[in-house]
Amino acid sequence: MPPKAKAVGKGRAPAKRKLAEEFPPGEVLTDTGKKSWKLGAPIGKGGFGLLYLADQNSDKPVGPDAPYVIKVEPSENGPLFSELHFYMRAAKPDLIQIWLKEQKLKHVGVPRYWGSGLHSKGDKRYRFMVIDRLGTDLQKKFEECGKKFPRKLVLQLGLRLLDTLEFIHEHEYVHADIKASNLLLSHKDPNQVYLVDYGLAYRYAPDGVPKEYKEDPKKCHDGTIEFTSIDAHKGASPSRRSDLQILGFCMVQWLCGRLPWEDRLQDPLYVRDSKIRSQEDISDFLSKCFPPQEKPDELQKFMEEVKSLNYEDTPPYKKLRSILQNGLKSIQAKDDGQLEFTPVSRVTTPPAKVTKRKKAADKMEENDAEGSSVKKRKPSKEKEVNGKKESSKAAPRARKGDKKSKLVDMATQTSPGLARQTRGRKKVDS
Ligand SMILES: Nc1ncnc2c1ncn2[C@@H]1O[C@H](COP(=O)(O)OP(=O)(O)OP(=O)(O)O)[C@@H](O)[C@H]1O
């Protein structure tokens, strides 16, 4: 994907991170297992690194049909380092093979890891990683389809992603940045979809023990603002439920074309509060996204199920899959494994009747988000205490002053989470 715009100062790279230089085709890199790889043409640019076609080293040049890609970044850059850790721990080909056998699956959407190492050129050192070469990303497909995917396709993508997320989660990681531009079709098989970009992946359960819920103001709004989870908006490290919530938001966008907060992505507090409200009344949220006859029952059930999860809970993947399968049944479709990217004829949402009262409420809401009056927003009915859900009745009431000062702080200063410019975060105006 193109370098991501950050919420503040679009596209500015932090001073500490350097861009990788472009290597000529034919450059040979040797990994830590002493295997040599040859670079072909560059095919992708990330925030701080370049991606090249590649193959095992031989006399032949690397052609356009190369089976591998190599991601290269200056060695001192952090994101490839974290991404590499994910790949080394969870994406070795034999590990994936074992999983496929155990789960009786034909495919899981994680690119395989083939090697990594350090490469010196002149006085500079680069970190590199070899993974499977993939094809087009789904953001391109989404745009080609007129920014709407057919229901069958959305449900099938949801099913593929549940398989992929279950694999990642069972290997101690969460992805935290699921979105169409991070979903790539296989280079060879147009019916296989892969999740890429593990720069924000988080090891939520080292040695199988899930981390506890803890909000860190420096991490507020991490991820891609449009889709990121409420946990991430609040500064908590991402968890399994966060991944599923992001998937829910993606499916809504793919199906109806846009999320209600899309016009105000520059305002992370507005986005956070809109998402919180969407979860307080999921049915009402979906009614705002879809015309009545198109409101997808299965997405409501999916989101309700995810909403009921505590921070450390293992998601009921099987139940979630059956919810999406039932959605397929309801449209007389079945999961035939074929991903058909056909444009959807646009059925426009009937404009909601705007009453004077609603106009006034909208106006107030707009004013709220622009200043310190964010604090006036309706508080969430459910409160989270150490990642556990408690109804507002049971939860001890937060002292007014505490909540107010926190929100005023966030509204009036650049949140540390926004200032920290890490790759893959705060994509605000794509
Ligand atoms: N395995 C792959 N095969 C082919 N293309 C890929 C592969 N992985 C990523 N790409 C493409 O390369 C580009 C950069 O990839 P990626 O997003 O992983 O890099 P990044 O450095 O993490 O980027 P960002 O800073 O945007 O997060 C994207 O266009 C992506 O679609």
Side-chain angles (χ1 to χ4, degrees):
M1 86 211 65
K4 288 166 191 166
K6 315 294 183 225
V8 184
K10 185 184 170 191
R12 262 184 305 152
K16 273 194 205 145
R17 285 211 194 99
K18 295 187 188 134
L19 286 164
E21 74 179 274
E22 200 166 307
F23 291 111
E27 183 90 4
V28 175
L29 318 180
T30 305
D31 69 22
T32 51
K34 307 255 178 304
K35 202 165 188 176
S36 294
W37 303 89
K38 192 186 259 189
L39 295 187
I43 56 156
K45 205 174 200 167
F48 304 96
L50 283 171
L51 209 90
Y52 298 83
L53 291 178
D55 207 342
Q56 295 182 32
N57 189 22
S58 74
D59 298 339
K60 290 189 230 136
V62 177
D65 230 17
Y68 306 99
V69 292
I70 297 191
K71 206 169 182 178
V72 187
E73 286 195 16
S75 64
E76 61 271 32
N77 284 1
L80 182 56
F81 189 70
S82 342
E83 186 167 27
L84 184 54
H85 274 253
F86 163 78
Y87 275 104
M88 288 167 78
R89 284 212 177 88
K92 294 221 174 88
D94 49 351
L95 209 62
I96 293 180
Q97 205 47 46
I98 291 168
W99 179 263
L100 293 178
K101 225 173 158 185
E102 275 173 11
Q103 305 293 315
K104 298 188 178 61
L105 287 172
K106 287 199 187 99
H107 165 73
V108 66
V110 176
R112 288 167 302 174
Y113 161 83
W114 297 102
S116 60
L118 286 166
H119 180 68
S120 298
K121 180 116 178 165
D123 58 352
K124 293 194 192 125
R125 267 154 72 84
Y126 298 88
R127 196 179 302 284
F128 70 91
M129 172 179 83
V130 190
I131 55 172
D132 284 328
R133 184 260 177 94
L134 302 169
T136 320
D137 73 69
L138 293 200
Q139 185 61 32
K140 275 194 203 105
K141 292 281 190 189
F142 188 57
E143 274 149 35
E144 281 166 20
C145 286
K147 293 210 164 180
K148 260 193 186 187
F149 279 156
R151 183 130 160 216
K152 178 179 175 220
L153 175 64
V154 171
L155 296 176
Q156 284 180 306
L157 290 173
L159 287 164
R160 297 295 85 78
L161 271 156
L162 281 173
D163 289 345
T164 304
L165 291 175
E166 185 173 9
F167 171 83
I168 295 170
H169 296 170
E170 287 299 301
H171 290 83
E172 303 183 352
Y173 277 87
V174 290
H175 184 274
D177 199 16
I178 301 142
K179 55 182 172 180
S181 57
N182 280 342
L183 291 168
L184 268 54
L185 294 177
S186 148
H187 178 54
K188 292 260 154 79
D189 183 344
N191 296 311
Q192 285 183 355
V193 64
Y194 287 81
L195 183 58
V196 299
D197 197 353
Y198 293 82
L200 284 184
Y202 175 69
R203 198 170 170 215
Y204 75 96
D207 304 315
V209 185
K211 297 245 174 100
E212 281 177 15
Y213 184 87
K214 194 165 163 252
E215 292 178 11
D216 173 355
K218 290 200 287 295
K219 291 205 229 157
C220 282
H221 319 293
D222 267 5
T224 299
I225 192 85
E226 208 166 339
F227 309 106
T228 203
S229 63
I230 295 170
D231 286 328
H233 276 291
K234 292 180 176 175
S237 301
S239 66
R240 288 171 286 186
R241 72 171 181 187
S242 324
D243 270 355
L244 294 168
Q245 190 177 64
I246 300 174
L247 173 58
F249 292 144
C250 286
M251 288 195 290
V252 171
Q253 194 211 44
W254 297 339
L255 207 48
C256 77
R258 64 184 304 282
L259 290 163
W261 45 85
E262 267 181 37
D263 296 335
R264 301 264 296 265
L265 298 179
Q266 299 289 347
D267 183 348
L269 294 183
Y270 172 83
V271 176
R272 177 199 65 186
D273 291 348
S274 304
K275 286 178 188 166
I276 291 173
R277 278 200 303 275
S278 78
Q279 297 307 292
E280 283 168 0
D281 191 341
I282 294 174
S283 171
D284 182 58
F285 163 64
L286 292 174
S287 297
K288 285 182 184 135
C289 297
F290 297 91
Q293 70 279 15
E294 287 178 26
K295 194 172 151 189
D297 191 40
E298 67 278 9
L299 281 201
Q300 178 164 337
K301 290 197 175 120
F302 182 96
M303 294 179 103
E304 299 280 4
E305 198 60 44
V306 173
K307 177 185 160 179
S308 73
L309 293 172
N310 283 316
Y311 184 71
E312 293 171 29
D313 282 351
T314 304
Y317 303 99
K318 209 169 156 194
K319 187 167 182 191
L320 291 169
R321 271 191 284 266
S322 91
I323 290 173
L324 300 188
Q325 299 275 16
N326 285 339
L328 283 171
K329 265 192 215 142
S330 75
I331 52 164
Q332 284 84 48
K334 61 174 196 241
D335 184 12
D336 54 9
Q338 307 290 307
L339 300 180
E340 287 164 56
F341 293 88
T342 42
V344 181
S345 56
R346 278 199 173 266
V347 182
T348 45
T349 317
K353 221 175 149 194
V354 185
T355 59
K356 270 190 193 158
R357 188 182 291 216
K358 168 120 185 20
K359 262 190 195 162
D362 284 352
K363 184 86 190 149
M364 259 178 67
E365 202 165 273
E366 257 170 41
N367 293 338
D368 273 1
E370 268 147 31
S372 58
S373 51
V374 174
K375 65 183 181 287
K376 284 185 198 151
R377 288 235 172 78
K378 202 171 123 197
S380 154
K381 274 182 206 147
E382 261 180 330
K383 274 209 75 64
E384 194 99 32
V385 177
N386 291 334
K388 302 251 187 309
K389 290 181 183 301
E390 293 187 5
S391 76
S392 49
K393 271 187 215 152
R397 280 172 78 107
R399 277 179 301 139
K400 245 186 180 176
D402 290 351
K403 181 138 193 170
K404 182 173 153 185
S405 58
K406 187 172 177 207
L407 287 171
V408 172
D409 273 2
M410 287 175 74
T412 50
Q413 68 182 48
T414 308
S415 138
L418 289 175
R420 208 157 41 104
Q421 304 231 329
T422 27
R423 184 184 60 167
R425 289 160 204 226
K426 331 289 182 236
K427 186 168 183 185
V428 291
D429 56 359
S430 60

